[in-house]
Amino acid sequence: MEQFSNDGLTFDVFDSGEAEGASPSGTVVLLHGFPQTSAIWSDVSAILNAGGLRTVAFDQRGYSPGARPDGRRHYRIELLVGDTAALIEQLGAGPVHLVGHDWGAVVAWQLAATRPDLVATLTSLSVPSTGAFLKSMLSSAQLLRSWYMGFFQLPLVPEVLADRVPAALDKTLELNGMNAGQIAAVHSEVIATGAFGYAVNWYRALPYANPKFFRSRVAVPTAHVWGEGDAALDRRGAELAEEYVDAPFELHVIGRGGHWLPEHYPEKVAEIVLGLSG
C-alpha cells in the first residue's frame, strides 16, 4: 500500500516488511508526532522488519499533501483517530500492534480506547494517556513544560515565526534535544512542504475535543516509554499512565533519553515493541 483515502483525503503510506501471507498479529502501525513525518520510523521499521514484522507508517492529516483541509475543526482528535482506524481497516491487518510518538501517541491511546478491536498492543513513546498527562499538571512541573501548547493557539504567529525567524524555531528544537540532521528534516519535510501551518492545527483543535477524550482508558497490553531527559514531558505523567490501563502494563524509562526516542533509541524502541508483540 502506497496511499489510502479517508474522509475525502489521501494519505501517503510507507509499507515495509512481509505483507503477503502475514498473520494479523504481524503488522505494526507507526504514528509520528509534531513537527515530524513518518520518516522518523525508518530505523525502527528496519529492525522490526528484520524481526519478522510488517510495518506501516503514514504521513498524517496536515502532513500528507493530499490531506490538508483548511480550518482547525478538521483536526479534531476524533478525526485523527478515524484516519488511523480507516488505514487499519483498509489494510485488513487488524488487530495491529500500534506504536505512537508524541502526538502520534495521543492518537494511539485514543484509538486503543475507542476501537480495541483494531489494536492488539499499544506502545506509546514520550506522551502518556491524556488523563495521565492532565493529572500530572496538578502534581509536577508539566504545566510549565507545556507552555508551547498555549503559544500554538495564536493564529498565524507560529507559522510566521517558523517562516521568517527560523533561528528561533531551530533553537527551541535544539533545546528540546533535536540534532542538526533532525532540525534540517523539519525544514525540508514540514516547513518547506507547507505542512507546518496545518500541523499546528492539531493543537488548535484541542478546544473542540469531546470531554470523553480526557477520561479514556485502554484494555489492551500496553507499554509506555519515557526518556529521563525529555524537556517536554515530566516523569509524573509516565508514572500515572498505568492508572488508565485495564490490562498488562509496562513502564520503560530510558536513562538520559530525550523526547525524540524513535530516532535516538531505535534499537530500544524496537526491542520493546517486539517484546510486547511476542
Side-chain angles (χ1 to χ4, degrees):
M1 175 183 283
E2 295 181 354
Q3 289 185 324
F4 81 98
S5 296
N6 181 56
D7 198 22
L9 307 173
T10 301
F11 300 84
D12 296 332
V13 180
F14 300 88
D15 189 344
S16 61
E18 293 295 329
E20 294 295 329
S23 66
S25 62
T27 298
V28 181
V29 171
L30 303 158
L31 304 177
H32 68 84
F34 176 89
Q36 298 182 296
T37 69
S38 58
I40 67 167
W41 296 111
S42 59
D43 290 340
V44 173
S45 289
I47 300 170
L48 294 178
N49 294 158
L53 295 175
R54 176 189 184 186
T55 57
V56 182
F58 75 105
D59 291 339
Q60 297 189 75
R61 186 174 292 228
Y63 295 86
S64 283
R68 295 177 182 172
D70 293 323
R72 58 180 177 169
R73 288 179 181 269
H74 290 287
Y75 297 83
R76 301 189 308 277
I77 185 64
E78 59 265 34
L79 299 179
L80 306 176
V81 169
D83 294 335
T84 301
L87 169 65
I88 297 171
E89 290 171 340
Q90 291 180 39
L91 284 171
V96 303
H97 303 291
L98 189 60
V99 184
H101 173 251
D102 189 78
W103 256 110
V106 179
V107 173
W109 277 96
Q110 187 66 4
L111 178 61
T114 57
R115 292 294 308 273
D117 58 306
L118 298 180
V119 181
T121 66
L122 167 67
T123 303
S124 60
L125 309 180
S126 303
V127 178
S129 69
T130 304
F133 177 78
L134 292 175
K135 192 173 182 180
S136 72
M137 288 185 170
L138 303 176
S139 56
S140 71
Q142 186 58 63
L143 184 60
L144 292 174
R145 290 175 183 244
S146 301
W147 64 269
Y148 59 92
M149 297 178 70
F151 172 72
F152 284 143
Q153 297 301 316
L154 299 175
L156 297 178
V157 175
E159 294 96 311
V160 171
L161 287 177
D163 182 53
R164 300 183 183 179
V165 194
L169 174 64
D170 292 357
K171 188 62 177 179
T172 300
L173 295 174
E174 182 182 354
L175 289 172
N176 278 278
M178 270 197 181
N179 59 38
Q182 289 174 289
I183 294 172
V186 171
H187 283 277
S188 63
E189 297 170 7
V190 180
I191 297 175
T193 63
F196 187 83
Y198 296 99
V200 172
N201 281 330
W202 286 46
Y203 291 96
R204 292 176 177 149
L206 280 172
Y208 301 103
N210 188 314
K212 292 181 180 179
F213 162 64
F214 302 108
R215 303 189 298 271
S216 296
R217 306 182 63 81
V218 304
V220 300
T222 299
H224 180 59
V225 189
W226 175 78
E228 286 186 334
D230 196 321
L233 280 303
D234 195 274
R235 185 187 187 101
R236 184 59 177 154
E239 295 172 342
L240 292 168
E242 185 174 10
E243 295 184 10
Y244 296 84
V245 181
D246 300 319
F249 175 84
E250 304 171 2
L251 173 61
H252 298 267
V253 176
I254 298 180
R256 294 185 292 180
H259 184 72
W260 316 101
L261 300 175
E263 295 143 296
H264 293 178
Y265 295 90
E267 295 88 358
K268 182 63 177 177
V269 170
E271 175 188 332
I272 291 168
V273 175
L274 287 166
L276 195 63
S277 65

